[in-house]
Amino acid sequence: MRFIDDKSLERLGFKKLLSRVETLSPYGKSKLKGLKNYLRGEEDLLEEEFNKMETFMKFSSNNRDIVRNVEGIIHRLKDIKTAINNCLKEHILDEVDLFEIKVQALLMEELNEYLKEFPNELHDFLLKDVSKIIKALDPDNDRTPTFYIYESYSPELREIREKKKGIEKEIYASNDFDEITRLKEERLKVLVEEERVELEIKKKLTSILYDEAEDFLENIEKIGNLDFLMAKVRFAKTYGGIRPEISKNYEIDVKGLVNIEVREVLEAKSRPFTPIDISIGSGVTIITGANMGGKSVALKTITENLLLFHMGFFVIAEEAKFPLIDFVFFISDDMQDISKGLSTFGAEIMKLKEVNVFLDLGIGFVVFDEFARGTNPKEGQKFVEALAKYLNDRPTISLMTTHFDGIVREGMNHYQVVGLKNVDFNKLKTKIELSSNSMGLIQEYMDFRLEKAGKEEVPKDALNIAKLIGIDKRFTEIILDEYIKED
């Protein structure tokens, strides 16, 4: 079953987020590129991964020199899996392949010495012995990162090369054209013999490496896993990641949850990011609040960290509890698909049809950001109301934002953005009148925290914002009349 579609990942900016995860080797990069989700039923595997990350995080803090040396070695590794696989296919390896394998085997040997200093909990990363490979490719035991077909492989090869050198000396010393021609023909015969012996040696070396190839590939796998684990720990340290608790009851309970990109954008403007505190479970949770209140950011923040959790990362929060689930859908109001002739609402309905199939197959996490905003308000409200009722009876965790009134029913979870509820409007209005940046001031006073709410109506922050900005007095009177009629 598909976990989340690529368009949703793009909408969330999740691939961009993963680009911040810096692996050191092509093997670690391959792990990141082929990243898979832990799914429901794999809680023990995820717990084991978190244990390793936590162990390495503590170890790296107290053993920086060892970790720095390990990183340095891993950074020098090239991807030579093709050469190893060719060896397993019994293709005769050329000198470049043999050189690459020798260099990597020497690096593996060096790396393993540092890995022995790792805690017992990380000894799964210890590498298989590669001494037979090194012995085969380093017959003179000089441990230098170079390779050629050494004379020490064969007395016959030594004799042939000595003969070749002798002929070459005669060629350089002679001034006789006929003599030089004869010597070159003789040298060509010697070269043929040299290539024949070298080929036999390469066949023999390939045969030796064939017996060790599976262990070598296992080492590559371990190095890739270690590189990726270290990258995840660096990511956590850089952005304030913490080990999340794995929920067994399909609950999401977070405090201080952060969206990295939004936080950085706000910090660049010297404005703070308001972390998310929320507790949600099976059924539907509805978030209401002003359009400027950060509801969409809250949805993206929760979904982004849920995805990090499923991919074996620490999450960016103060405290966090997430469950493993079967699927994720993120349905927002920017889903218009012009290529298929669909409006935003049409695209949402098509997605809802797909969601319905998944709801019958497992337990997931479904987000609807301002569903049905792209249709007329009366119909839109009915659709949102029906959708909330429909999702509330399901074990899947569903999260909706809406600006419609009357959606929340008994048994539904409801959060509101605090917004401008606690603002001194007279004080703020005075500041706005003296400022040329009214929207900036409103954003500064907007409280983006989520608070638990009952079945209250959606806050009228839109009206408050319009009054603060100072729209036409006559228009203000008319809109106030409309609000009074509605009440």
Side-chain angles (χ1 to χ4, degrees), residues 353-414:
K353 185 178 178 181
E354 186 181 352
V355 169
N356 193 48
V357 174
F358 278 73
L359 290 175
D360 292 330
L361 295 175
I363 297 175
F365 178 75
V366 180
V367 172
F368 289 92
D369 187 10
E370 298 284 5
F371 181 74
R373 184 159 65 178
T375 189
N376 80 70
K378 286 187 178 180
E379 282 192 302
Q381 182 165 351
K382 293 182 187 300
F383 267 95
V384 174
E385 191 174 347
L387 180 60
K389 290 178 182 177
Y390 177 71
L391 293 172
N392 202 44
D393 294 331
R394 300 293 188 130
T396 282
I397 303 168
S398 300
L399 191 55
M400 298 173 59
T401 61
T402 185
H403 59 282
F404 293 124
D405 277 330
I407 304 301
V408 181
R409 293 288 185 272
E410 203 68 45
M412 293 181 184
N413 204 14
H414 181 203

Side-chain angles (χ1 to χ4, degrees), residues 220-282:
I220 285 175
E221 180 74 9
K222 288 182 177 183
I223 290 169
N225 289 333
L226 175 60
D227 185 11
F228 185 40
L229 181 130
M230 292 193 302
K232 290 195 292 184
V233 169
R234 283 194 299 272
F235 179 83
K237 285 185 173 182
T238 301
Y239 299 107
I242 56 104
R243 176 177 180 162
E245 184 181 341
I246 301 176
S247 169
K248 303 294 175 64
N249 300 317
Y250 305 109
E251 296 173 338
I252 295 174
D253 192 358
V254 295
K255 291 181 181 178
L257 199 68
V258 171
N259 183 301
I260 294 171
E261 185 177 6
V262 175
R263 181 175 65 183
E264 289 179 348
V265 169
L266 290 174
E267 285 176 349
K269 298 177 181 178
S270 300
R271 286 167 50 193
F273 175 84
T274 304
I276 307 298
D277 295 355
I278 196 168
S279 180
I280 58 181
S282 297

Side-chain angles (χ1 to χ4, degrees), residues 4 40 59 70 72 99 112 114 198-199 203 221 261 265 267 299 309 373 393 405 441:
I4 185 170
R40 194 160 61 105
F59 177 77
V70 167
F99 161 74
N112 219 25
Y114 290 113
E198 286 180 349
L199 181 60
K203 283 181 181 179
E221 180 74 9
E261 185 177 6
V265 169
E267 285 176 349
L299 295 186
F309 167 81
R373 184 159 65 178
D393 294 331
D405 277 330
L441 273 171

